[in-house]
Amino acid sequence: MSTRQSLAVLAILIAGVSFLWSPQKCRTYPGDPSWPEPHVWDELNKTVDGLLIRSRPVAIACHHPHFDEEQCNEVRKQWHSPQYLEKSSSAIQTPLFANKSCDPFSEPDAPCAIGSHVAYSVKVASPAHVISTVKFAKEHNLRFVVRNTGHDYMGKSTGSQALAVWMGHLRLTEWFDDYEGSNYRGPAVKMQAGVPVEQTYEEANTRGLVVVSGVCPTVGFSGGYIQGGGHGPFGSLYGLAADQTLSMEVITTTGEFVRASPTENSDLFWAMSGGGGGTYGILWTVTVKAFPDIPIAGGRIGFSKSDKISDDTWWEAIDFYQAMTPSFTDIGATSFAFYSNEKFDLPAVFLPNGTSRSIITLLQPFVDKLSSLRIPHKVDYKTYPNFLPAYKELWPSELFGVGLFYFGNRLLPRELWDNRDGVEGKKFKQLTKAVREMVEDGAGAFDIAIRPTLKVAGNPDNAVHPAWREAERAFGIQLLWDDLDDWPAIQGKLNKITAYVGLLRELTPGGGAYLNEADPYEPNWQQAFYGSHYNKLLAIKDKWDPDQMLYGATAVGGDRWSEKDDGRLCPAQSGVQWFLSEAFERGRGALASFVPSL
Ligand SMILES: Cc1cc2nc3c(=O)[nH]c(=O)nc-3n(C[C@H](O)[C@H](O)[C@H](O)COP(=O)(O)OP(=O)(O)OC[C@H]3O[C@@H](n4cnc5c(N)ncnc54)[C@H](O)[C@@H]3O)c2cc1C
């Protein structure tokens, strides 16, 4: 057999094996003959100790026949409160994915349906509950979802008519003074799947420690946050949350309870440290490094636009801020700025180990610039003996609503600052021009200066997008969500976000975006969210989730499925189509190494 023939046979064999992993039929949907009868659901309920919950739309009281004005007004008032929504077993905190299927702002006569929400959830209390639930979903070919808080901006913790495991109540922790791992010795904490960010900081504080965790107190630390990377106030000092993982306990969709660490099931551990939530297995616990608590210096600056400030002066100030962030990140500081056409708000510069003198020195150039531009501004500096009071004061929990914005994101590489011409050069000017263009078009910037290089993160080997290692800023671009918008208006805003991110993509070719806070309609999301890790992650997924039970539209392997108009999840291509295209791609890949023009 010639080399070419051997490669063709090999390609078909590989495609044949991959075919076994490919989705071959739509998930069962209510109304299908194979949808489980009520008594079958009752059987499941018995195996999970009565913890099966049938979903009830949060806004059911806003619609006939359940209409109740008082209750409906309460739902409307709380519609953007994470604390309120996370009490529901099915609520989605990003209204885009709630799909207006039971909308508190529509007329009482409008239909109220489960729509894009899960049909049933098991409020998990033991690994056995997860194992029984995934087994049931598999036996009945049901769509299966892992949900924790429901915060996900990408819609990955919901699924139309799916059966979910709800992990949000698993909040036990175990602290170690002297944990010994394969490449770490020191303080650590093991956290169950439902521990939220706020709990991580509060428990650490009582032990004189800190952990690398997020900003929003209600985000699920062990869920999508750490598995998707996880940025936070210590990002420029210690790296991302996923860089701190030491070991995990994971339940696989084949029903096994396994340990994953750098020395045990290391591929699974690698993937679940930054390669995205809800994709490879169901995390039961994660153990992460903890660090000695340290003093923090905090700074805030705010100013507003007025008739006395010209547009160019306004942008001169913002451009100055954009140019100076390396002076923050180079000394371990992380800062969070929001700006629009009307307001600039830098609510938090976290300077670890900072003093009152060092925070003033750090912000003084910006303050001087604002004074020279005659822009009235407010500045506050404060030092804190340790992290928790700084966190609570600089990021009060009342600040955090959910479902308030459409999001797009791009990781801006330090190279934009450090190239030969620096911030006076063409590349940086193109960046500030693009930012101005978006903001003048009505967008808001959520601009995080963060530099989680491999060096500060302790050279971890994990699935975090390589673009994070080069990043100077995680730049978010936002549009306001309006509960009263109709679908054409919503689509218009989504298109705008995609166009904005396109401008940033052009300036950062080969770069990436933060998979948890990105445009859900990012074209070529595989590259943007996972970069060069994508194929490796896909192979790990196929090994650990061979029946493709775990799905998210932008999770690894998500492109093998498509959601139909009614919400049903179906294979993106028919089995035969898929087999042929896979054989073609694999064959082409194999031949390309011999014939470069292919
Ligand atoms: C208001 C707000 C503030 C935020 N602030 C930050 C921030 O400071 N830093 C930051 O990095 N991100 C932040 N995020 C983004 C956040 O990290 C993501 O939304 C993340 O996906 C939330 O994870 P969750 O588990 O709470 O949410 P969920 O929506 O419940 O789950 C998210 C994803 O994780 C999967 N998942 C959940 N639990 C498990 C499990 N046990 N095993 C396997 N998969 C699981 C789900 O299937 C889904 O794919 C913020 C989001 C919001 C809404």
Side-chain angles (χ1 to χ4, degrees), residues 14-24 542 559-560 571-584 586:
I14 296 172
V17 173
S18 307
F19 179 63
L20 298 175
W21 280 316
S22 77
Q24 288 162 45
D542 287 343
D559 48 0
R560 291 169 169 170
Q573 298 170 313
S574 74
V576 174
Q577 260 178 331
W578 186 88
F579 178 82
L580 292 175
S581 72
E582 190 81 356
F584 176 74
R586 306 265 173 173

Side-chain angles (χ1 to χ4, degrees), residues 146 148-153 157 215-216 220 224-225 231 278 283 514 517:
V146 188
N148 182 19
T149 64
H151 269 72
D152 202 81
Y153 287 124
S157 51
V215 173
C216 173
Y225 170 77
H231 65 70
L283 185 130
Y514 177 31
E517 294 183 330

Side-chain angles (χ1 to χ4, degrees), residues 211-212 221 226 234 238-247 269 286-291 456-457 460 462:
V211 283
V212 174
F221 176 86
I226 194 166
F234 288 110
Y238 297 131
L240 300 178
D243 298 332
Q244 320 306 325
T245 55
L246 296 167
S247 73
F269 177 73
V286 59
T287 302
V288 295
K289 294 176 194 170
F291 300 89
V456 300
N462 60 28

